Amino acid sequence: MQKPHITLLASCTDQLGIIAALTHTISQHHGDILHLEQHVDAEDQQLFIRIQWHTTHADQATWATHLDPLFQTYHMKTQLYDSNFKHRIAILASKEEHCLYDVLTRHHSHELNAELVLIASNHTTLAPIAKQFNLPFEHCPIEQSDHAKQEAHLLNILKNANIDTLVLARYMQILSPEFLTHYPERIINIHHSFLPAFSGAKPYHQAWKRGVKIIGATSHFVTEALDNGPIITQSVTPISHQETVDALIQLGRNLEKITLSEALHLYLAHKVLVHDQRTIVFK
Amino acid sequence: MQKPHITLLASCTDQLGIIAALTHTISQHHGDILHLEQHVDAEDQQLFIRIQWHTTHADQATWATHLDPLFQTYHMKTQLYDSNFKHRIAILASKEEHCLYDVLTRHHSHELNAELVLIASNHTTLAPIAKQFNLPFEHCPIEQSDHAKQEAHLLNILKNANIDTLVLARYMQILSPEFLTHYPERIINIHHSFLPAFSGAKPYHQAWKRGVKIIGATSHFVTEALDNGPIITQSVTPISHQETVDALIQLGRNLEKITLSEALHLYLAHKVLVHDQRTIVFK
Amino acid sequence: MQKPHITLLASCTDQLGIIAALTHTISQHHGDILHLEQHVDAEDQQLFIRIQWHTTHADQATWATHLDPLFQTYHMKTQLYDSNFKHRIAILASKEEHCLYDVLTRHHSHELNAELVLIASNHTTLAPIAKQFNLPFEHCPIEQSDHAKQEAHLLNILKNANIDTLVLARYMQILSPEFLTHYPERIINIHHSFLPAFSGAKPYHQAWKRGVKIIGATSHFVTEALDNGPIITQSVTPISHQETVDALIQLGRNLEKITLSEALHLYLAHKVLVHDQRTIVFK
Amino acid sequence: MQKPHITLLASCTDQLGIIAALTHTISQHHGDILHLEQHVDAEDQQLFIRIQWHTTHADQATWATHLDPLFQTYHMKTQLYDSNFKHRIAILASKEEHCLYDVLTRHHSHELNAELVLIASNHTTLAPIAKQFNLPFEHCPIEQSDHAKQEAHLLNILKNANIDTLVLARYMQILSPEFLTHYPERIINIHHSFLPAFSGAKPYHQAWKRGVKIIGATSHFVTEALDNGPIITQSVTPISHQETVDALIQLGRNLEKITLSEALHLYLAHKVLVHDQRTIVFK
């Protein structure tokens, strides 16, 4: 039972007095600051800030009006959310079910502050799971290797459903640069390795062969550069020579589902900002 | 090569506009905020804040003058440090050397922003290590079980040396309540268990007997309640049935030295505030 | 697709030549050893051993005949399983769904080598989840505080279904000593703290109040001593002053489900032996 | 105060009855097995085994005689140590002192079962530390970029001192293939990244740039392939966007020293076998 509140995510070139100006304006309109966290990148003097404040008139539009003059003055790139806002999410998956199940069961337990709208897949394997959780299942097969056609089909579905965020729960297709332009910094993927090690296919086989003593999983925003988007969160687990590749795959499932859900959790709490190839993750 | 800066640690009852007031005053005097982190305790509406700002006139006294009116207005409990400030530290130890060595070698490597003034001990075992690192070694033996006399001896040494902070590097004596009044929130201990489990004597024996699968170490401020002071940091490591008590003791040494040094590091960076039996640790 | 194999778990007083005798007999009958791990408790000279061997005639009865003379000679306490064996499991739960969902989805993904036979609960809250996964749901309410009557009801159901192992997935009732005699070393519980810290009720509230910097979860066999049975596995996660009790509860769910499933996994792979209040967990 | 014992490390093609044969021979000569751990590589049917046994006549030569016929029969590659054996170690370092200090202080605390014979370096920076610990310091400068000459100088020193194992404690020179032939599987390095990510120079800069959320350190045997030798152990620590490259370097020091010492500890306990590019690490 959280109090009504507003969350601001903003970035701009650092200048003297910005925090004072923002917090002054918030106080003036009777906003009571609950959380404030900022970060200045020492290399390029860029300021990143997240402020969350309680207010009795907690609607996004009102506060946009209050704050807009400051946003203009400081040339800020901003996101402003009220506490009623919910992202509209589609999950994309292929054949593996563990990440899908993890997101679905967390949503069922009210852990995720989002509308889970639909599941889309290039296969039909996971349709029964969508049914178990009473969610629409959209089959978008890749016919005759025509990826462009499949993406158009998928995009049409997403647009019609007003999806704003995609969660790739082990979706084993590479999305085209054109497709990505529709969801910049809005597609969250889970890669089954501790990136940048073992990018590309069969990371557990690569890890076994190299003889590493720790394996990992990485959740990141999808960009044109394969497995190279800004990292949101990573997790690891120790392994030994005893683990076969199959054992690594099974251990990795725990990592993948925890890591993807943690990234999604941070994203839905409006705690993640992108800066070039890196993320600012507020705690 | 850090820029000259001021660090403020403050706490008070939360009120609307405090952050705006502080940051406004800092900007007014040309302070350029490098870090700001705050925390509001939801239970008792207490605000905790740490602000660090760059300034060309970075001396503590000047800024105390600038900020004092605000501190009065908001009834703030404050600590204010300029970047030239260094805590004056005494290490208290008994016979075990691993934590002592860890602090000494880190100080030698310029990892610790502090004056390491002296080593005091109730035994002479570690005197050669003090000599290795060219530090005074003060032997304060406990004669005829007269702890009060020993503490008076020790306190006299510490006061003469203008010590403001004590680091207990496996010092195996319990300090009296009277002694503690001289260094409130200024004595950092390492306990060789994951508190509150296994407080008191022989924690590794207790852990082995209970059959835990993870052991830990805890660094905390010393208070009258034994092993019950506010925790600064904790670390853990997995173990198995194969480890004997001796193996646990050896594994634990790694934890103890890392954990104590991490706590000391946070303390010296002015990142730790105490709130009842808990700490606020800014990152 | 594992090769047919036999798994032996055994313990006895350590004597010269036991391993030679066991491995000789296994070789004699054309058993090809895949894994062998032993442990000698240094305090009481007790030997614990797990041997797994491939064999073309991999049935439990045949090998029991081969090995029985040795078991007699060395006064061994043994468990012998062939690779067709599956434990018959009942899950006991109350109102919280995350651990239940985790076990169910892992079973669905064929991660657990067991028959999941039924779900029993003192509440009806989780009945829809049983239905989602097509499993019988047995409601065993506690009426007029008559725990003995409820346990008799529950035991009747379990016996009729030939259940040999109970998984307590956040089952919030204390089982009576009498009940426990029916499933010695066969009831696996998840406790939502890093035991022995914070046993009993509301561990996350206790942890918050104490100000620990790491929280944990513990999976253990249930014995008469509350939260004091032999520990199978434990997990931890770092926290900060920022986490409210509610945040700890949510973070803890990740730990609880991972920890319980890991314990169940080890148990089903016949890797866990109990020795007094401790476990031997073969890797 | 360990009992006198023998440790065997062996590998060969897996065959029925090997463990029975070895354990039978050991029992026959009144060896009382303390630890036995084996591993069969499923891909190439290679057996790796470590056996440790107590015996009243615990000298290497006697047991070599007892076991040699079996070693011949099974074409085993073996290492056999009695409990009086100590490796003779040289530490190679350059300018950074944290790993050197960690090994020296552990040796001082009797944690390492080895003779620490000398420290060699291409610089004189660390000479005072050698003096602190009363160890010979051998300066082997690289003059006029003549690496071959420097290596010859170094090798001469090592051979004269009967060194059998080299520990590279942040030694910033690449050893030539020719040099490596003198110490196969006998040179332990620490690399300051979570390999295979960020091999080569300036790994912390690479890690910062890529925006990873976890950094690591890797200890491995040195082979001709740079940073690509068999990994002995790895450690990691979480980081955030707040850490500068300098902060990563400082955090990394903790990892490096713990990781190198752990690898050295495993090696000195005769628990590490190499198999192609991987290691078997017995626990």
Side-chain angles (χ1 to χ4, degrees):
Chain A
M1 206 59 62
Q2 284 187 292
K3 292 193 280 191
H5 60 266
I6 299 286
T7 306
L8 169 68
L9 283 172
S11 58
C12 62
T13 304
D14 193 25
Q15 293 165 66
L16 208 104
I18 294 182
I19 298 175
L22 282 170
T23 54
H24 180 68
T25 302
I26 292 166
S27 308
Q28 244 182 343
H29 295 91
H30 309 288
D32 186 13
I33 291 171
L34 301 168
H35 294 290
L36 185 157
E37 197 172 341
Q38 52 73 251
H39 173 68
V40 179
D41 187 287
E43 288 216 342
D44 61 7
Q45 290 304 310
Q46 201 73 7
L47 170 73
F48 302 88
I49 192 161
R50 179 181 185 266
I51 316 181
Q52 197 167 61
W53 60 94
H54 166 55
T55 159
T56 49
H57 53 115
D59 63 296
Q60 194 269 355
T62 305
W63 281 92
T65 311
H66 295 333
L67 291 164
D68 200 55
L70 279 181
F71 296 166
Q72 301 292 335
T73 305
Y74 291 108
H75 305 286
M76 284 184 165
K77 187 178 160 193
T78 64
Q79 299 174 49
L80 195 66
Y81 302 99
D82 58 40
S83 40
N84 291 319
F85 176 82
K86 279 184 197 304
H87 279 292
R88 291 181 61 80
I89 291 181
I91 306 177
L92 272 59
S94 289
K95 290 181 171 178
E96 294 235 41
E97 68 191 42
H98 56 286
C99 286
L100 175 62
Y101 258 141
D102 198 61
V103 176
L104 292 176
T105 57
R106 282 172 198 267
H107 188 253
H108 189 274
S109 308
H110 309 293
E111 279 187 37
L112 302 177
N113 178 40
E115 296 291 334
L116 215 52
V117 181
L118 63 85
I119 298 165
S121 180
N122 52 328
H123 296 285
T124 55
T125 317
L126 303 174
I129 294 177
K131 202 175 166 197
Q132 260 184 319
F133 285 82
N134 288 316
L135 276 175
F137 182 85
E138 302 287 351
H139 183 215
C140 302
I142 299 159
E143 288 163 340
Q144 296 164 311
S145 297
D146 190 342
H147 289 263
K149 190 178 161 194
Q150 190 248 8
E151 283 195 351
H153 177 195
L154 175 61
L155 194 59
N156 191 43
I157 288 166
L158 300 174
K159 292 296 179 188
N160 283 340
N162 289 316
I163 299 302
D164 63 50
T165 298
L166 307 187
V167 174
L168 310 194
R170 301 294 313 272
Y171 182 64
M172 307 308 276
Q173 295 298 320
I174 296 170
L175 296 167
S176 71
E178 201 282 323
F179 185 95
L180 297 178
T181 60
H182 295 276
Y183 293 99
E185 299 175 15
R186 289 281 180 254
I187 309 179
I188 298 172
N189 186 42
I190 179 72
H191 183 77
H192 41 319
S193 88
F194 184 72
L195 289 173
F198 312 131
S199 62
K202 291 191 176 284
Y204 294 120
H205 290 76
Q206 293 182 57
W208 187 90
K209 204 171 169 200
R210 179 61 189 88
V212 291
K213 299 300 185 188
I214 295 176
I215 57 167
T218 304
S219 188
H220 62 92
F221 288 116
V222 178
T223 59
E224 286 193 34
L226 183 65
D227 297 335
N228 211 15
I231 293 170
I232 305 168
T233 185
Q234 300 187 288
S235 309
V236 293
T237 201
I239 58 165
S240 83
H241 62 273
Q242 294 182 296
E243 264 79 53
T244 59
V245 172
D246 283 347
L248 296 189
I249 289 170
Q250 177 153 331
L251 278 171
R253 282 189 193 133
N254 279 341
L255 289 176
E256 293 162 31
K257 65 192 201 188
I258 292 287
T259 308
L260 177 60
S261 289
E262 192 187 327
L264 186 53
H265 209 271
L266 291 165
Y267 172 85
L268 296 177
H270 316 305
K271 292 186 170 175
V272 186
L273 274 176
V274 172
H275 182 214
D276 299 333
Q277 203 195 354
R278 313 173 76 237
T279 60
I280 314 301
V281 178
F282 295 110
K283 289 297 163 66
Chain B
M1 206 56 65
Q2 284 187 291
K3 291 194 283 192
H5 60 267
I6 300 285
T7 306
L8 169 67
L9 282 173
S11 58
C12 62
T13 304
D14 193 25
Q15 292 164 68
L16 208 106
I18 294 182
I19 298 175
L22 283 170
T23 54
H24 179 69
T25 302
I26 293 166
S27 308
Q28 244 183 341
H29 295 92
H30 309 288
D32 186 12
I33 292 172
L34 301 169
H35 295 290
L36 185 158
E37 197 173 340
Q38 51 75 251
H39 173 67
V40 178
D41 186 287
E43 289 215 339
D44 61 6
Q45 291 304 311
Q46 200 73 8
L47 171 74
F48 302 87
I49 193 161
R50 179 182 186 267
I51 316 180
Q52 198 166 61
W53 59 95
H54 165 56
T55 159
T56 49
H57 54 115
D59 64 295
Q60 195 269 354
T62 305
W63 281 93
T65 311
H66 295 333
L67 290 164
D68 201 55
L70 279 182
F71 295 167
Q72 301 292 336
T73 304
Y74 291 108
H75 305 285
M76 285 183 164
K77 188 179 161 192
T78 63
Q79 298 174 50
L80 196 66
Y81 301 98
D82 59 39
S83 39
N84 290 321
F85 176 82
K86 280 184 198 301
H87 279 293
R88 290 180 62 79
I89 291 181
I91 305 178
L92 272 60
S94 290
K95 290 181 170 178
E96 295 236 40
E97 68 191 41
H98 55 287
C99 284
L100 175 62
Y101 258 141
D102 199 60
V103 176
L104 292 175
T105 56
R106 283 173 198 268
H107 187 254
H108 189 275
S109 307
H110 309 292
E111 280 187 38
L112 302 176
N113 178 39
E115 296 291 335
L116 215 51
V117 182
L118 63 86
I119 298 166
S121 180
N122 52 327
H123 295 284
T124 55
T125 317
L126 303 174
I129 294 177
K131 201 175 167 197
Q132 258 185 321
F133 284 82
N134 287 317
L135 276 175
F137 181 85
E138 301 288 350
H139 184 213
C140 303
I142 299 161
E143 289 164 339
Q144 296 163 314
S145 298
D146 190 342
H147 288 263
K149 190 177 161 194
Q150 190 246 9
E151 282 194 352
H153 178 197
L154 176 59
L155 194 59
N156 190 44
I157 289 166
L158 300 175
K159 292 295 178 187
N160 284 340
N162 288 317
I163 299 300
D164 62 51
T165 297
L166 306 186
V167 175
L168 309 194
R170 300 296 310 274
Y171 181 64
M172 307 308 275
Q173 295 299 319
I174 296 170
L175 296 166
S176 71
E178 201 281 323
F179 185 96
L180 298 178
T181 60
H182 295 276
Y183 293 99
E185 301 175 14
R186 290 280 179 256
I187 308 180
I188 297 172
N189 186 40
I190 179 72
H191 182 77
H192 40 320
S193 87
F194 184 72
L195 290 174
F198 313 130
S199 62
K202 292 193 176 285
Y204 294 120
H205 290 76
Q206 293 182 57
W208 187 89
K209 205 173 166 198
R210 179 61 190 90
V212 292
K213 299 300 184 188
I214 295 176
I215 57 168
T218 304
S219 188
H220 62 92
F221 288 116
V222 178
T223 59
E224 286 193 33
L226 183 66
D227 295 336
N228 211 16
I231 293 170
I232 305 167
T233 185
Q234 301 188 287
S235 309
V236 293
T237 200
I239 58 166
S240 83
H241 62 272
Q242 293 183 297
E243 264 79 53
T244 59
V245 172
D246 283 348
L248 296 189
I249 289 170
Q250 178 153 330
L251 278 171
R253 281 188 192 133
N254 279 341
L255 289 176
E256 294 162 31
K257 65 193 201 188
I258 292 287
T259 308
L260 177 60
S261 289
E262 191 188 327
L264 186 54
H265 207 271
L266 291 166
Y267 172 84
L268 297 176
H270 316 306
K271 292 186 170 174
V272 186
L273 274 175
V274 172
H275 181 213
D276 300 333
Q277 202 196 353
R278 313 173 76 238
T279 59
I280 315 300
V281 179
F282 295 110
K283 290 297 162 70
Chain C
M1 208 57 65
Q2 283 187 291
K3 292 194 281 192
H5 60 268
I6 300 285
T7 305
L8 169 69
L9 281 172
S11 58
C12 62
T13 304
D14 193 25
Q15 292 164 68
L16 209 106
I18 294 182
I19 297 175
L22 282 170
T23 55
H24 179 68
T25 302
I26 292 166
S27 308
Q28 244 183 341
H29 295 91
H30 309 290
D32 186 12
I33 292 172
L34 302 168
H35 295 289
L36 185 158
E37 196 173 341
Q38 52 73 253
H39 173 68
V40 179
D41 186 286
E43 289 215 340
D44 61 6
Q45 291 303 312
Q46 200 73 9
L47 170 73
F48 301 88
I49 192 161
R50 179 181 184 268
I51 316 181
Q52 197 167 61
W53 59 94
H54 165 56
T55 158
T56 49
H57 53 115
D59 63 296
Q60 193 269 356
T62 305
W63 281 92
T65 311
H66 295 333
L67 291 163
D68 200 56
L70 279 182
F71 296 166
Q72 301 293 337
T73 306
Y74 291 109
H75 305 286
M76 285 183 165
K77 187 179 160 194
T78 63
Q79 299 174 49
L80 196 66
Y81 301 99
D82 59 39
S83 39
N84 291 320
F85 176 81
K86 281 183 198 302
H87 279 291
R88 290 181 61 78
I89 291 182
I91 306 178
L92 272 59
S94 290
K95 291 182 170 177
E96 295 235 40
E97 67 192 43
H98 56 286
C99 284
L100 175 61
Y101 258 141
D102 198 60
V103 176
L104 292 176
T105 56
R106 282 174 198 268
H107 187 254
H108 189 274
S109 307
H110 309 292
E111 279 187 37
L112 302 176
N113 178 39
E115 296 290 334
L116 214 50
V117 181
L118 62 87
I119 298 165
S121 180
N122 52 328
H123 296 285
T124 55
T125 317
L126 303 174
I129 293 177
K131 203 176 165 194
Q132 260 185 319
F133 284 82
N134 287 317
L135 275 175
F137 181 85
E138 302 288 350
H139 184 213
C140 302
I142 299 160
E143 289 164 338
Q144 296 164 312
S145 297
D146 190 342
H147 289 264
K149 191 177 160 195
Q150 190 246 10
E151 283 194 351
H153 178 195
L154 176 60
L155 194 58
N156 191 42
I157 288 165
L158 300 175
K159 293 295 178 187
N160 284 339
N162 290 316
I163 298 302
D164 63 50
T165 297
L166 306 187
V167 174
L168 309 194
R170 300 297 310 274
Y171 181 64
M172 306 308 275
Q173 295 298 319
I174 296 170
L175 297 166
S176 71
E178 200 282 323
F179 185 96
L180 297 178
T181 59
H182 296 276
Y183 293 99
E185 301 176 12
R186 290 282 180 253
I187 309 179
I188 297 172
N189 186 42
I190 179 72
H191 183 77
H192 41 318
S193 87
F194 184 69
L195 289 173
F198 313 130
S199 62
K202 290 190 175 289
Y204 294 121
H205 290 76
Q206 293 182 57
W208 188 90
K209 205 172 166 200
R210 179 61 190 88
V212 292
K213 298 301 184 188
I214 294 176
I215 56 169
T218 304
S219 189
H220 62 92
F221 288 116
V222 178
T223 59
E224 286 193 35
L226 182 66
D227 296 336
N228 211 16
I231 293 170
I232 305 167
T233 185
Q234 301 187 288
S235 310
V236 293
T237 200
I239 59 166
S240 83
H241 62 273
Q242 293 184 296
E243 265 79 52
T244 59
V245 172
D246 284 347
L248 296 189
I249 289 170
Q250 178 152 331
L251 277 170
R253 282 190 192 131
N254 279 342
L255 289 176
E256 293 162 30
K257 65 192 202 188
I258 292 288
T259 309
L260 177 60
S261 289
E262 191 186 328
L264 186 54
H265 208 271
L266 291 165
Y267 172 84
L268 296 176
H270 316 305
K271 292 187 169 173
V272 186
L273 274 176
V274 173
H275 181 215
D276 300 333
Q277 203 196 350
R278 313 173 76 238
T279 60
I280 315 301
V281 179
F282 296 109
K283 290 296 162 66
Chain D
M1 206 59 63
Q2 284 187 292
K3 291 193 281 191
H5 59 266
I6 299 286
T7 306
L8 168 68
L9 282 172
S11 59
C12 62
T13 304
D14 193 25
Q15 292 165 67
L16 208 103
I18 294 182
I19 298 175
L22 282 169
T23 54
H24 179 70
T25 302
I26 292 166
S27 308
Q28 244 182 342
H29 295 90
H30 309 289
D32 187 12
I33 292 171
L34 302 168
H35 294 290
L36 184 157
E37 197 174 340
Q38 52 74 251
H39 173 68
V40 178
D41 187 287
E43 289 215 341
D44 61 6
Q45 290 306 311
Q46 200 74 6
L47 171 73
F48 301 89
I49 192 162
R50 177 181 187 268
I51 316 180
Q52 196 167 62
W53 60 94
H54 166 56
T55 159
T56 48
H57 53 116
D59 64 295
Q60 195 268 357
T62 305
W63 282 92
T65 312
H66 294 332
L67 290 163
D68 201 56
L70 279 182
F71 295 166
Q72 302 291 338
T73 304
Y74 292 109
H75 304 286
M76 286 183 163
K77 185 179 163 192
T78 63
Q79 300 174 49
L80 195 66
Y81 301 99
D82 59 41
S83 40
N84 290 320
F85 176 82
K86 281 183 196 302
H87 279 292
R88 291 181 60 81
I89 291 181
I91 305 178
L92 273 59
S94 290
K95 290 180 171 179
E96 294 235 41
E97 69 191 41
H98 57 285
C99 285
L100 175 62
Y101 258 141
D102 198 61
V103 176
L104 292 176
T105 57
R106 283 172 198 269
H107 188 254
H108 188 274
S109 307
H110 308 293
E111 279 186 39
L112 303 176
N113 179 39
E115 296 291 335
L116 215 52
V117 181
L118 63 86
I119 298 166
S121 179
N122 52 328
H123 296 284
T124 56
T125 317
L126 302 174
I129 294 177
K131 200 174 168 197
Q132 260 184 319
F133 285 81
N134 288 314
L135 277 174
F137 182 85
E138 302 287 350
H139 183 213
C140 302
I142 299 160
E143 289 163 340
Q144 296 164 312
S145 297
D146 190 341
H147 289 263
K149 190 176 162 196
Q150 189 246 10
E151 283 194 351
H153 176 196
L154 175 60
L155 195 59
N156 191 44
I157 289 166
L158 300 174
K159 292 294 179 190
N160 284 341
N162 288 316
I163 299 300
D164 62 52
T165 298
L166 306 187
V167 174
L168 309 194
R170 302 295 310 275
Y171 182 63
M172 306 307 276
Q173 295 298 320
I174 297 170
L175 297 166
S176 72
E178 201 282 322
F179 185 96
L180 297 179
T181 60
H182 296 275
Y183 292 99
E185 300 176 13
R186 289 282 179 252
I187 308 179
I188 297 172
N189 186 39
I190 179 71
H191 182 77
H192 40 319
S193 87
F194 184 71
L195 289 173
F198 313 130
S199 62
K202 291 191 176 286
Y204 294 120
H205 291 76
Q206 293 182 56
W208 188 91
K209 205 171 168 201
R210 179 61 189 89
V212 291
K213 299 299 185 188
I214 295 176
I215 56 167
T218 304
S219 187
H220 62 93
F221 288 115
V222 178
T223 59
E224 286 193 34
L226 182 65
D227 297 334
N228 211 16
I231 293 171
I232 305 168
T233 185
Q234 300 188 290
S235 309
V236 293
T237 200
I239 57 164
S240 82
H241 61 272
Q242 294 184 296
E243 265 80 54
T244 59
V245 171
D246 283 347
L248 296 189
I249 290 170
Q250 178 152 333
L251 278 171
R253 281 188 194 134
N254 278 341
L255 290 175
E256 293 161 31
K257 65 192 200 187
I258 292 288
T259 308
L260 178 59
S261 289
E262 192 188 324
L264 186 54
H265 208 271
L266 291 165
Y267 172 84
L268 296 176
H270 316 305
K271 292 186 169 174
V272 186
L273 274 176
V274 172
H275 181 214
D276 299 334
Q277 203 195 355
R278 314 173 75 238
T279 60
I280 315 300
V281 178
F282 296 109
K283 289 297 164 67

